[in-house]
Amino acid sequence: MKNVISFEKGKKKEKEFNPNKKKAQMAAEKATTKCPAVLNPRKDGSNIDVNYAEIEPEQNTEYWKNIEKEERFRNKYKDVLATVPVSTSKRIQHFSKAMLYLLSEIFHGSNWDIRFDAWLDFCEFYISSFDSAYSDYIKKNKGFEKEYQYKFEEMTAEELEKKLVDCLGKIIELCPEKKEEDKAKILYQAAKLFELEEILSDLFYKQVIKD
């Protein structure tokens, strides 16, 4: 895929870049199938199984770095995380609003650090929050699922931003569902969001490893 976002070089971020385990898990699953199944994060909210007697010093250091990143995220978005609705569809809407808010900084942030951090936060919301709500929703409404044709096509940054804004906007508008047919539309847009998040992440991965 061609580089479609004109990022500045961010050497400091390149050295520090190491996606958390949840992002790595997701990338691995996406790499093995064209139309991947919905991920099912641990219900207790944790993302790392650790046996302290067996891990190497380097792994121990990385583990605590991941914990610090999660603490930073929770502190930064404590207001958003403290007001999560109980209803599954409202949770989907809640986290869609949080991700929609981040798009401006992702695509138009004044420097690499701002864009990079906004993207990481977008991924964290998607993986640890939105996907969990979506998993619960699809289990309850499996009969309303419509086939979504994954393509992972190339597109410009402008096109990708418009598609993300449109997709998240439709999810926010549809949730909570007003009629039964809205359930199929929500599931369809959520599947589309999976594809768009993958394309967005691919852009950042390639920029980070670019010489």
Side-chain angles (χ1 to χ4, degrees), residues 55-159:
I55 62 176
E56 299 294 330
E58 294 82 3
Q59 293 174 311
N60 194 17
T61 300
E62 189 59 36
Y63 169 77
W64 289 112
K65 283 183 180 179
N66 288 330
I67 292 297
E68 290 174 1
K69 290 177 184 177
E70 292 179 4
E71 286 291 337
R72 179 201 67 81
F73 179 84
R74 285 196 293 268
N75 289 332
K76 185 176 181 180
Y77 297 103
K78 58 184 178 182
D79 291 340
V80 176
L81 298 174
T83 56
V84 179
V86 175
S87 165
T88 307
S89 60
K90 287 184 178 180
R91 281 163 54 207
I92 289 174
Q93 181 189 60
H94 185 74
F95 294 121
S96 292
K97 289 179 179 179
M99 289 186 287
L100 181 63
Y101 175 80
L102 288 167
L103 291 182
S104 178
E105 287 190 348
I106 290 174
F107 288 95
H108 306 289
S110 59
N111 58 59
W112 166 260
D113 284 359
I114 289 174
R115 293 194 292 271
F116 185 92
D117 288 342
W119 166 66
L120 285 182
D121 291 346
F122 183 98
C123 291
E124 185 66 25
F125 270 122
Y126 180 82
I127 297 165
S128 64
S129 302
F130 181 93
D131 188 69
S132 178
Y134 174 42
S135 297
D136 291 341
Y137 191 81
I138 201 170
K139 288 175 185 175
K140 295 176 182 177
N141 300 286
K142 189 70 176 176
F144 291 92
E145 189 176 14
K146 294 169 61 178
E147 183 178 3
Y148 178 84
Q149 295 294 326
Y150 291 89
K151 297 179 181 178
F152 300 102
E153 295 177 333
E154 288 189 10
M155 62 184 71
T156 65
E158 291 78 12
E159 290 173 325

Side-chain angles (χ1 to χ4, degrees), residues 19-25 40-50 62-63 66-67 69-70 74 124 127-128:
N20 61 32
K21 272 187 175 281
K22 281 182 287 189
K23 185 63 188 175
Q25 275 183 315
N40 294 301
R42 289 164 58 94
K43 293 300 182 182
D44 61 2
S46 63
N47 64 305
I48 305 174
D49 288 318
V50 177
E62 189 59 36
Y63 169 77
N66 288 330
I67 292 297
K69 290 177 184 177
E70 292 179 4
R74 285 196 293 268
E124 185 66 25
I127 297 165
S128 64

